[in-house]
């Protein structure tokens, strides 16, 4: 793929690595590429980061034809930069796109675009411990039409943001409230797709949770509201009497790259992993009878997020005495060790930038 590079004439000052936060700062450049029915993907270019022109009638704005991805670039101790399983993000985006009537793109093209942009902004990959460069590829239709027809013109864009630890308090456990009114996904819907629309319909529950003093929502299945599925932007796992439970990937849950990686590590370590539906009543029972040992969310942004409290209709369970569990900590250390190049990558998951 030929990529035309136009470098910015006034690079921004890099932010202080001690207060990066998440998604607060954008790098100097972005990747853009266009698609139409005749030419396919064309006009790949890296340009200075800035506004995108759109028609007021762009279908993405009215009918939410949009998908996105999230992955990171990590700086190793030797100064080199690496990506983590980027082909998984490419594959997932194509699955999301198929559901939203959006065009496919070869996996290699996606990965090549990511690498090319990160190379141009390589200086932006931070050096401080726990920091990384968050990569946000997204695709949308910029076609202008108020009528509802399939679109033929699309834009693929990638932007980058240097990020610190996801939660301000580091690995401090989070409190989660089980959502029993609103639903996020049903079979046949878009739960498995990473698309903006899924988040638009989730915000009301997130706002409700924050008002109650909780940081995230745990979604139940959309039909019976009986089985646990996932958290706002993370998959979730429960250690009950030594076994690890997590919702199966069968259409309503987002197939997380972190989820897949953690399950592979757990199996390698000899844990029994149960990818089956788990009823909220059974989970709360385990919380009360002492067999619920650890709970943690998994996702690229936070990597692993320990959970200390579950609130279901006012019934409250405290996990591991409000402290991070041993297995949760061990998984975090091991997986981030691979990502930052401190652990040997026996799974072959990391991809060097150069
Ligand atoms: C992105 C996302 C996840 C986590 O996926 P990773 O690939 O591990 O980052 C989980 N749930 C939802 C709803 C998501 O959007």
């Amino acid at each position: 793929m030929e990529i035309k590079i136009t470098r910015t004439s006034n690079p921004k000052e890099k932010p202080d690595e001690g207060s990066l936060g998440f998604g607060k700062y954008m790098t100097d450049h972005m990747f853009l590429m266009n698609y139409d029915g005749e030419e396919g993907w064309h006009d790949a270019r890296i340009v200075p980061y800035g506004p995108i022109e759109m028609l007021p009638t762009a279908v993405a704005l009215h009918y939410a034809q949009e998908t996105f991805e999230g992955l990171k670039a990590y700086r190793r101790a030797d100064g080199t930069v690496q990506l983590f399983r980027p082909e998984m993000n490419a594959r997932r985006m194509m699955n999301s796109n198929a559901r939203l009537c959006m065009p496919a793109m070869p996996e290699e093209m996606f990965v090549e675009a990511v690498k090319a942009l990160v190379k141009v902004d390589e200086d932006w990959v931070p050096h401080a411990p726990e920091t990384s460069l968050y990569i946000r590829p997204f695709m949308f239709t910029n076609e202008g039409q108020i009528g509802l027809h399939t679109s033929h013109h699309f834009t693929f864009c990638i932007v980058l943001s240097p990020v610190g630890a996801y939660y301000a308090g580091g690995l401090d456990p989070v409190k989660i409230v089980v959502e029993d009114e609103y639903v996020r996904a049903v079979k046949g819907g878009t739960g498995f797709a990473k698309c903006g629309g899924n988040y638009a319909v989730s915000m009301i529950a997130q706002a409700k949770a924050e008002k109650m003093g909780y940081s995230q929502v745990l979604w139940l299945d959309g039909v019976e509201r009986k089985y646990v599925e996932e958290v706002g932007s993370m998959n979730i796992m429960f250690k009950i009497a030594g076994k690890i439970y997590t919702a199966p990937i069968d259409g309503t849950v987002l197939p997380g790259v972190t989820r897949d990686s953690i399950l592979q590590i757990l199996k390698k370590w000899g844990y029994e992993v149960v990818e089956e539906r788990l009823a909220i009543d059974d989970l709360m029972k385990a919380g009360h009878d002492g067999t619920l040992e650890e709970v943690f969310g998994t996702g690229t942004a936070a990597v692993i997020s320990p959970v200390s409290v579950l609130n279901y209709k006012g019934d409250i369970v405290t996990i591991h005495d409000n402290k991070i569990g041993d297995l949760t900590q061990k998984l975090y250390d091991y997986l981030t060790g691979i990502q930052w190049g401190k652990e040997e990558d026996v799974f072959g998951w990391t991809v060097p930038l150069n």
Side-chain angles (χ1 to χ4, degrees), residues 68-71 88-89 92 134 136 184 191 193-195 198-199 202 219 230-236 252-261 298-303:
F68 67 97
E69 270 304 323
L71 65 163
M88 295 280 285
N89 298 92
R92 185 170 66 193
Y134 186 76
R136 169 54 60 87
R184 172 187 175 274
K194 218 168 168 70
C195 59
N198 285 348
Y199 279 84
S202 305
W219 295 103
E230 64 178 315
V231 179
S233 55
M234 295 188 289
N235 297 110
I236 190 162
T252 56
V253 167
L254 205 284
V257 177
T258 320
R259 173 189 183 280
D260 181 80
S261 308
T298 67
T300 297
V303 191

Side-chain angles (χ1 to χ4, degrees), residues 205-225:
Q206 178 67 28
K208 197 171 112 186
E210 283 171 17
K211 220 184 239 167
M212 291 170 68
Y214 287 77
S215 56
Q216 298 264 347
V217 167
L218 173 58
W219 295 103
L220 299 177
D221 75 279
V223 177
E224 295 176 76
R225 283 175 227 192

Side-chain angles (χ1 to χ4, degrees), residues 212-317:
M212 291 170 68
Y214 287 77
S215 56
Q216 298 264 347
V217 167
L218 173 58
W219 295 103
L220 299 177
D221 75 279
V223 177
E224 295 176 76
R225 283 175 227 192
K226 185 172 167 194
Y227 301 99
V228 293
E229 295 212 319
E230 64 178 315
V231 179
S233 55
M234 295 188 289
N235 297 110
I236 190 162
M237 303 192 184
F238 307 92
K239 181 163 174 260
I240 303 173
K243 293 186 203 169
I244 314 298
Y245 293 77
T246 195
I249 297 296
D250 62 1
T252 56
V253 167
L254 205 284
V257 177
T258 320
R259 173 189 183 280
D260 181 80
S261 308
I262 290 292
L263 293 185
Q264 287 195 47
I265 293 169
L266 285 168
K267 286 175 193 165
K268 200 171 162 95
W269 286 354
Y271 281 92
E272 192 178 330
V273 170
V274 187
E275 287 180 76
E276 279 164 32
R277 302 217 290 178
L278 172 65
I280 183 66
D281 289 340
D282 293 337
L283 177 63
M284 296 307 283
K285 208 186 307 150
H288 288 301
D289 70 19
T291 51
L292 178 60
E293 293 155 354
E294 299 185 32
V295 180
F296 55 91
T298 67
T300 297
V303 191
I304 299 268
S305 193
V307 176
S308 58
V309 172
L310 284 173
N311 178 340
Y312 176 52
K313 297 186 175 178
D315 181 17
I316 294 176
V317 154

